[in-house]
Amino acid sequence: MSAEPRINDRIRVPEVRLVGPSGEQVGIVPLAKALELAQEYDLDLVEVAATARPPVCKLMDYGKFKYESAMKAREARKNQAHTVIKEMKLRPKIDPHDYDTKKGHVVRFLKQGDKVKITIMFRGREQSRPELGYRLLQRLAEDVQELGFVESNPKQDGRNMIMVLGPHKKKTEAMAEAREAQAARKAERQGVSVEEPAEEPAEA
């Protein structure tokens, strides 16, 4: 079945409960009368409640209504936030520089409102020292606690140990803040470009 409502000549009932262009109740009228009114107003007769007895129909500009509905749905999809799970892999004996780099990525992901799956990869004899991975995960969780929390505690999964961090901020908040920061940077750049030429004569 089509999700589209029936309009104008596709409506096949003897009478309808008619609603006017401004939402006013006209009452129950014969279908022919409702179609006649639609022509007078240069509007469409649209069936808005097919299961009612008699069906409820409204006088409206159906093309405009469809366009506005599509735009609203598009805007809602644009504002809808999808939480993404990012993954970061570490070794139990990671050197300090690599740790700082990886931590920087985790911080960026959490600021963006994404979850982060941290995987510690054990190789060879490292598998007999799971406490190394556990301590590393605890350290990372503490280092980023202002931005995220431990959503899933460390657990062994074969040769790996896994922990999931969740962001304190919702994705929508992170997106809004990112847009604001971008706008601020743009405004700052425009301000600098205007001021620079005025400073050159003073330096000469």
Side-chain angles (χ1 to χ4, degrees):
M1 280 182 66
S2 170
E4 294 273 320
R6 291 186 295 184
I7 66 169
N8 301 327
D9 296 335
R10 289 203 300 239
I11 300 169
R12 305 285 185 185
V13 289
E15 58 185 17
V16 299
R17 184 178 295 280
L18 188 63
V19 178
S22 302
E24 69 276 15
Q25 296 290 330
V26 177
I28 296 172
V29 300
L31 177 63
K33 175 68 176 173
L35 288 168
E36 190 181 305
L37 285 170
Q39 283 188 328
E40 279 181 25
Y41 282 106
D42 195 22
L43 294 170
D44 298 299
L45 182 67
V46 182
E47 190 177 59
V48 293
T51 55
R53 290 289 176 266
V56 180
C57 294
K58 186 175 180 183
L59 297 173
M60 68 170 81
D61 182 337
Y62 187 58
K64 183 181 175 185
F65 169 75
K66 275 186 75 174
Y67 173 77
E68 287 175 353
S69 297
M71 290 301 288
K72 281 178 188 172
R74 185 175 159 192
E75 193 63 28
R77 281 196 301 274
K78 193 170 82 173
N79 293 329
Q80 194 175 23
H82 297 285
T83 301
V84 178
I85 297 184
K86 305 284 189 178
E87 185 169 15
M88 189 57 55
K89 294 182 177 180
L90 289 77
R91 295 292 310 284
K93 295 177 180 175
I94 190 169
D95 69 58
H97 175 73
D98 280 349
Y99 175 80
D100 288 339
T101 301
K102 300 273 188 180
K103 184 180 76 174
H105 291 312
V106 173
V107 165
R108 180 163 51 86
F109 295 146
L110 290 172
K111 279 184 176 177
Q112 290 170 353
D114 294 321
K115 294 183 183 183
V116 191
K117 176 184 174 185
I118 314 292
T119 303
I120 304 289
M121 301 180 296
F122 295 99
R123 289 180 189 167
R125 284 181 290 182
E126 290 174 349
Q127 292 178 65
S128 64
R129 306 268 324 266
E131 70 277 4
L132 290 176
Y134 186 78
R135 280 204 296 267
L136 183 58
L137 290 174
Q138 279 191 313
R139 175 187 167 193
L140 181 59
E142 286 172 11
D143 285 348
V144 300
Q145 62 185 341
E146 289 185 9
L147 298 168
F149 61 96
V150 177
E151 188 173 281
S152 175
N153 286 314
K155 63 183 178 187
Q156 196 79 25
D157 181 17
R159 293 184 177 187
N160 300 329
M161 185 175 282
I162 294 166
M163 174 179 77
V164 178
L165 295 172
H168 289 312
K169 280 182 191 168
K170 290 182 180 175
K171 184 77 172 177
T172 46
E173 291 173 11
M175 286 167 66
E177 282 186 12
R179 281 197 294 268
E180 284 173 17
Q182 189 177 10
R185 283 196 301 271
K186 187 177 177 184
E188 195 177 313
R189 281 199 304 270
Q190 288 172 344
V192 167
S193 64
V194 170
E195 292 167 9
E196 278 177 352
E199 293 172 0
E200 286 177 6
E203 290 174 4

